[in-house]
Amino acid sequence: MSKETIESSAAAIAGRVGARELSAAEVTEAALGRIAASDDAVGAYLTVLGDGAREHALRVDARIAGGESLPLAGVPLAVKDNMCLTGTRTTCGSKILENWIAPYTATAVQRLLDAGCVPVGKTNMDEFAMGSSCENSALGVTRNPYDLSRVPGGSSGGSAAAVAAFEAAIGTGSDTGGSIREPGAFCNAIGFKPTYGRISRYGLIAFASSLDQIGPLTRTVEDAALAYDAMAGFDPMDATSVDRPVETAATHLRRDLKGVRIGIAREFDTAKLGAESHACYARAYRDLEALGAELVEISLPTADYGLATYYLIAPAECSSNLARFDGVRYGLRVEGDDVQAMYEATRAAGFGAEVKRRILIGTYALSSGYYDAYYVRAQKARTLIAADFAKAFETCDLIASPAASSPAFEFNAKSDPYSMYLMDYYTIPFSLAGLPALSVPCGWVTPEGGSSPMPMGLQLAAPLFEERALLGAAHAYEVATSHATRHRPRLAEVAK
Ligand code: GLN
């Protein structure tokens, strides 16, 4: 199979497999070949499903031979390692789950398989999805395919890198405060987080349950729409899944932005991002206008409280969610003299520094005497942030902003936790409000001291449940600007 085919979109691959020009088995072989050639350098995968993937592919080919029409026939799928896939290791990037085998499949993943995807592997991530660079993974290093000395972003960095390196056409990610959008921006991919509740979280190992949302990482907006159409919709297995009809997005992609009002928040001053990034976003906004959009100034006065609010609510929920990892039922157990000693030894050995930091902050914020001062106040701030967005959307249809605070940075560049937290400054407020938002490539900037142009991401966000309008507009921007195809990952030499 040609290099062009494995590098083409999920839509193109599915079209050819559906038309029986290619078999899912052939596509899978090509994807596994690409992984073998480049993943030693990239490190996107924690587990590669060789024969498991081949078996899935044969089942897809049998379904096609039986006359089924599958929207994602034979599409190589990378699954973030916090999502269950029956019989495969699901580690969350943590030593505590290093050898845990999932006994069932997450609903979102199952729906992609039902649509014809072939899972080729499980991807690296920041431990329990806490981080913005994948450097918090306890199990491996993932590198940015556009510059191997830089991080791929996080926490869904493995899926973003896999898609960017053509080692899969669709990657699943989870986004709590930015973990799909930021690695999407860093790796020249579309990173799409739907409305909270749109896609079932059943089988997604929880970080912060009131924020966690699954979504796709892809190389085109159309592919993101196809993956979303497959995954979205009510699931009785997730109590927060929303029972409301899903409008197909892939059939409503637009070519212009006529009649669309796009809000630019006064508070999101891109000048502080440096001259090159500032110019990049200024041009992106002008390009939106050139496509027919009307740019309107909006105000999000409480957005600045997003980070502080998030870093109380997310740790509070994680301290509760991660209490189950104690050596009794799941994963690692380190024996001790009594059960308390066993808990302590297991958690001390199993969790990394960032996870422990979050558990400590969260436990403190929820403790008696501090609960009102921290957790309750954070919930109130969250309500105000959501109200700001509701007000802004009275005067605009979409909001545009940077997706991340900088292009991809070098390993070990963020020496303190706070500078890492700042990467999600632009994405977190939207997460707190539950809004659908995505990152779409919007240009290239060569960072100071860097040798390669690195991709930049534009964040577009919509009111609750307006995924169709969001993806439609993002497609118009993507097609008109075609930033994503301007540079190739610097892996050509590896992946010949
Ligand atoms: N980087 C943020 C954090 O560390 C967001 C992570 C995420 O969205 N899962 O919490």
Side-chain angles (χ1 to χ4, degrees):
M1 198 176 84
S2 73
K3 172 164 159 274
E4 284 68 32
T5 305
I6 198 64
E7 295 190 0
S8 64
S9 66
I13 292 172
R16 295 191 60 190
V17 173
R20 302 213 213 169
E21 286 168 31
L22 268 178
S23 67
E26 287 169 300
V27 179
T28 303
E29 222 45 71
L32 293 172
R34 179 58 69 103
I35 293 170
S38 58
D39 209 50
D40 282 349
V42 177
Y45 291 96
L46 291 174
T47 302
V48 177
L49 303 169
D51 286 340
R54 293 184 179 98
E55 280 166 32
H56 272 280
L58 292 178
R59 281 200 291 275
V60 170
D61 284 328
R63 287 170 67 193
I64 290 168
E68 269 190 75
S69 142
L70 304 172
L72 294 171
V75 172
L77 173 70
V79 179
K80 186 176 181 178
D81 216 17
N82 58 355
M83 292 172 209
C84 294
L85 177 63
T86 305
T88 65
R89 212 163 67 107
T90 298
T91 67
C92 271
S94 180
K95 281 200 197 124
I96 213 156
L97 287 176
E98 190 170 359
N99 298 309
W100 186 69
I101 307 287
Y104 67 104
T105 297
T107 300
V109 176
Q110 187 59 50
R111 289 185 179 178
L112 289 169
L113 303 186
D114 292 346
C117 282
V118 174
V120 291
K122 302 293 298 291
T123 57
N124 197 19
M125 55 183 283
D126 286 297
E127 186 175 6
F128 285 98
M130 298 171 199
S132 302
S133 67
C134 268
E135 291 168 291
N136 291 337
S137 170
L139 303 179
V141 176
T142 303
R143 298 174 185 280
N144 191 308
Y146 287 88
D147 179 348
L148 296 173
S149 70
R150 293 178 185 270
V151 302
S155 63
S156 311
S159 283
V163 164
F166 307 107
E167 296 176 359
I170 296 176
T172 64
S174 64
D175 189 312
T176 307
S179 276
I180 294 175
R181 290 161 282 167
E182 187 248 18
F186 279 18
C187 290
N188 192 28
I190 308 296
F192 173 40
K193 180 203 92 80
T195 306
Y196 179 76
R198 255 310 196 199
I199 293 180
S200 169
R201 294 183 296 110
Y202 179 68
L204 167 70
I205 296 173
F207 161 14
S209 307
S210 77
L211 293 155
D212 296 343
Q213 185 57 209
I214 292 175
L217 284 138
T218 56
R219 291 187 297 269
T220 69
V221 174
E222 182 187 17
D223 287 358
L226 286 166
Y228 166 77
D229 287 341
M231 286 190 279
F234 178 63
D235 175 17
M237 299 304 282
D238 171 5
T240 58
S241 143
V242 178
D243 191 0
R244 141 181 198 145
V246 182
E247 296 175 320
T248 325
T251 48
H252 283 74
L253 302 174
R254 302 176 54 137
R255 285 297 175 132
D256 65 56
L257 295 173
K258 289 197 187 91
V260 182
R261 296 165 304 167
I262 300 187
I264 311 287
R266 192 183 308 149
E267 291 78 7
F268 289 166
D269 177 11
T270 56
K272 62 182 176 218
L273 302 181
E276 277 200 74
S277 297
H278 182 47
C280 175
Y281 288 113
R283 202 184 67 198
Y285 299 158
R286 279 201 305 277
D287 287 343
L288 294 170
E289 220 171 4
L291 279 162
E294 180 196 345
L295 299 189
V296 294
E297 189 184 78
I298 57 164
S299 179
L300 299 170
T302 56
D304 212 24
Y305 296 109
L307 218 60
T309 305
Y310 174 89
Y311 278 98
L312 285 166
I313 293 174
E317 294 182 16
C318 108
S319 72
S320 164
N321 275 328
L322 271 56
R324 74 191 66 170
F325 304 108
D326 57 9
V328 177
R329 276 188 76 178
Y330 307 100
L332 181 75
R333 174 183 296 184
V334 180
E335 297 295 351
D337 288 343
D338 56 21
V339 72
Q340 183 67 32
M342 187 270 282
Y343 291 158
E344 285 177 14
T346 298
R347 290 167 68 83
F351 289 137
E354 183 61 28
V355 174
K356 286 176 184 160
R357 180 178 298 118
R358 307 269 181 121
I359 292 172
L360 286 171
I361 294 171
T363 305
Y364 184 79
L366 289 174
S367 60
S368 124
Y370 294 102
Y371 181 85
D372 289 333
Y374 293 113
Y375 186 68
V376 171
R377 280 184 92 188
Q379 292 292 7
K380 288 181 180 167
R382 182 177 188 173
T383 302
L384 294 176
I385 291 167
D388 268 2
F389 281 112
K391 185 146 185 288
F393 280 126
E394 287 171 10
T395 59
C396 63
D397 306 300
L398 301 174
I399 294 174
S401 82
S405 300
S406 77
F409 45 87
E410 290 180 322
F411 289 92
N412 303 314
K414 308 282 171 198
S415 50
D416 64 298
Y418 184 63
S419 61
M420 189 71 86
Y421 298 170
L422 277 174
M423 292 315 299
D424 297 306
Y425 176 83
Y426 295 101
T427 48
I428 276 176
F430 298 89
S431 298
L432 289 165
L435 297 167
L438 56 77
S439 175
V440 56
C442 70
W444 299 82
V445 161
T446 303
E448 216 174 302
S451 54
S452 321
M454 296 306 290
M456 301 288 287
L458 175 72
Q459 178 173 235
L460 292 173
L464 296 169
F465 302 108
E466 295 290 338
E467 282 88 354
R468 180 196 270 195
L470 176 60
L471 288 160
H475 180 258
Y477 176 79
E478 170 195 48
V479 170
T481 56
S482 63
H483 290 296
T485 50
R486 203 144 297 157
H487 295 279
R488 281 183 56 81
R490 297 190 108 193
L491 288 170
E493 55 279 18
V494 184
K496 266 197 204 108

